[in-house]
Amino acid sequence: MKFILSVNEARHEVDVDPATPLLWVLREQLKLTGTKFGCGIAQCGACTVHLEGEAVRSCILQVNAVRDKKIVTIEGLSKTRNHPVQQAWLKEQVPQCGYCQSGQIMSAATLLARVSNPSDAEIDEAMSGNICRCGTYARIRKAIHTAAQLGGAK
């Protein structure tokens, strides 16, 4: 079945089964490989993208549920890669292996769009669905505070 998807401010026509997870459409059809496959059951957060401005897990979201909705992947967060969260991630040297980082960044950007200066508790709550196997949680929290100082959601 054919679908028109709005991804990163561009329209894309894809011909896939309606039950195909958005993650696989992004990675396989649109070649947007920044969104990662982690667990496949929406528990790790590696596949996080924005849907209408909210952080969602693309591994369980069927493509038929997202047509006519605005989707943003890590590649579309900032055309120049200078979103405050991206800048803060680099400044605070958050990544180790890096696998979870696109999902972490997308969740952090959603938090900062809602709360301009979040507390540690608000950060912990918002980021609780994102797992980092390297354990960089303290640096993630610090980077979110730094991003808030840099302008947050931009």
Side-chain angles (χ1 to χ4, degrees), residues 5-145:
L5 301 179
S6 173
V7 180
N8 300 335
E9 299 182 356
R11 291 174 51 86
H12 301 275
E13 183 176 314
V14 295
D15 189 2
V16 296
D17 184 292
T20 303
L22 175 61
L23 172 65
W24 298 117
V25 173
L26 295 172
R27 290 183 60 79
E28 301 296 325
Q29 304 290 317
L30 303 183
K31 306 301 182 199
L32 296 170
T33 58
T35 304
K36 304 299 184 198
F37 173 75
C39 66
I41 57 172
Q43 298 298 305
C44 73
C47 68
T48 302
V49 298
H50 294 170
L51 180 65
E52 298 290 322
E54 291 298 318
V56 298
R57 306 301 189 247
S58 63
C59 70
I60 61 164
L61 190 59
Q62 295 180 354
V63 72
N64 65 342
V66 299
R67 57 180 153 194
D68 302 321
K69 296 185 178 171
K70 182 180 172 186
I71 302 161
V72 178
T73 68
I74 189 71
E75 293 90 348
L77 187 61
S78 169
K79 291 179 183 177
T80 58
R81 298 181 183 158
N82 68 345
H83 187 281
V85 175
Q86 292 168 314
Q87 291 176 354
W89 244 243
L90 293 172
K91 182 177 182 197
E92 302 302 341
Q93 299 180 2
V94 174
Q96 280 187 339
C97 82
Y99 198 82
C100 70
Q101 296 308 303
S102 62
Q104 299 276 3
I105 288 168
M106 297 304 281
S107 291
T110 298
L111 167 63
L112 290 170
R114 287 193 316 259
V115 182
S116 63
N117 190 21
S119 66
D120 284 350
E122 289 169 316
I123 291 170
D124 292 348
E125 173 69 23
M127 302 303 290
S128 66
N130 292 79
I131 296 172
C132 176
R133 294 184 332 187
C134 300
T136 64
Y137 300 110
R139 285 187 282 183
I140 289 167
R141 186 185 303 134
K142 185 175 182 184
I144 292 171
H145 284 300

